Amino acid sequence: MRRRGFSLVELLVVIGIIAVLISMLLPALQRARKEARRAKCLSNERQIGMAMQMYAAESQGWFPTHNNWGNCFGKKGSVTTYDDPGYTGFAGEPGIVGERPLNHYLNAPEVCGCPDDLGDTFPGYPGQQSCFDAYGTSYLIEWQGNSFGVQHVTSHPPGRIPMKVGGGGDWSLKIILGDWNWHANRPISDSRTLWHANGNQRRVNMLFADGHAEFLLFLAVYDQAPMTSSWDWDPNFPGVGVAPDPARGYW
């Protein structure tokens, strides 16, 4: 008996069905990959939070001091924007002058890198290069100034002293750090600002003082004046500012 093969029409139908199934599955796979990258970033932030607590435990409860925004932790970056002497990377890296204060408590430089890092969108900064490559870290801590309604965490004395464990209000609402572009002076009109989200709302991975990290949606007022033009609410420092307020969901 002769075995009958598939006709051309039948093959085309099968190929069409497979193509439809693939088109249905691809968006789900892309969403799963995006969620996995966001989860990895949240895990990194929680590890940094644990390192912060270990540092404080060995420093009479005080959080770190460092002399610029981007050099509390992380590897040596490719640009010198925050690469100040004494705070240049991990011990043993070629060319570092001093270890960044939190690095001693972190397992590896990769903890400081977000897999969705698209770079700094502040005007005039490194552009398409990732923050991890440029600065050595994908995460921006609240340093020195009380910016955008958030009280500073670390600092550079004598201008200010850093935060101390147990100080302030509800620690589950106290912002420590987040994806590098979380400050409102990184415009959400730039598609690269929001690494894990799309749209016209600022939603970023954020670490809080109690150790939890979440994909936080900021209130719309965060991107409006005077919040966007605020640097510091303290009358002893320049700027008109907006005071930290736990009623917003963070401080």
Side-chain angles (χ1 to χ4, degrees):
M1 295 178 62
R2 294 180 62 187
R3 300 181 63 184
R4 179 177 175 275
F6 290 107
S7 69
L8 178 59
V9 172
E10 290 170 329
L11 285 172
L12 290 174
V13 168
V14 170
I15 292 171
I17 292 171
I18 292 172
V20 169
L21 290 173
I22 290 174
S23 67
M24 294 171 62
L25 288 173
L26 276 178
L29 290 172
Q30 289 171 347
R31 285 194 299 270
R33 284 197 293 267
K34 189 176 185 68
E35 289 174 3
R37 292 195 298 270
R38 188 171 70 230
K40 171 60 177 172
C41 178
L42 286 168
S43 174
N44 288 347
E45 290 187 359
R46 285 191 289 268
Q47 291 182 68
I48 294 171
M50 292 175 61
M52 190 77 73
Q53 294 296 334
M54 287 188 284
Y55 179 100
E58 295 185 0
S59 304
Q60 298 181 324
W62 294 104
F63 280 19
T65 61
H66 53 109
N67 72 343
N68 215 326
W69 282 98
N71 58 21
C72 182
F73 50 86
K75 67 175 185 177
K76 181 174 173 57
S78 62
V79 300
T80 58
T81 307
Y82 304 109
D83 198 11
D84 295 321
Y87 306 93
T88 48
F90 278 82
E93 279 189 274
I96 73 160
V97 177
E99 188 171 44
R100 295 180 178 181
L102 214 60
N103 286 355
H104 177 70
Y105 305 90
L106 295 171
N107 294 326
E110 289 70 29
V111 174
C112 305
C114 170
D116 277 333
D117 187 338
L118 298 175
D120 190 352
T121 56
F122 190 76
Y125 278 61
Q128 297 291 337
Q129 189 177 24
S130 76
C131 295
F132 182 57
D133 290 335
Y135 308 142
T137 176
S138 299
Y139 305 109
L140 181 65
I141 200 165
E142 191 59 46
W143 173 78
Q144 191 79 350
N146 300 318
S147 307
F148 308 108
V150 177
Q151 184 171 316
H152 74 282
V153 176
T154 59
S155 67
H156 187 225
R160 271 193 172 148
I161 59 173
M163 187 172 73
K164 192 172 186 179
V165 172
D170 185 348
W171 270 46
S172 68
L173 301 178
K174 176 69 192 92
I175 283 177
I176 299 293
L177 55 82
D179 295 339
W180 185 274
N181 290 321
W182 71 270
H183 274 171
N185 56 12
R186 271 71 174 179
I188 56 175
S189 58
D190 188 326
S191 61
R192 296 180 303 111
T193 291
L194 303 179
W195 297 347
H196 308 291
N198 298 313
N200 59 357
Q201 294 177 304
R202 190 176 299 274
R203 192 167 188 177
V204 292
N205 280 349
M206 301 296 298
L207 172 70
F208 290 80
D210 67 345
H212 89 274
E214 65 178 270
F215 194 35
L216 179 69
L217 176 63
F218 283 95
L219 298 176
V221 68
Y222 185 83
D223 282 284
Q224 299 169 4
M227 190 74 79
T228 53
S229 60
S230 303
W231 184 79
D232 206 300
W233 58 274
D234 190 326
N236 296 316
F237 285 78
V240 291
V242 176
D245 183 1
R248 296 191 191 99
Y250 61 85
W251 58 278

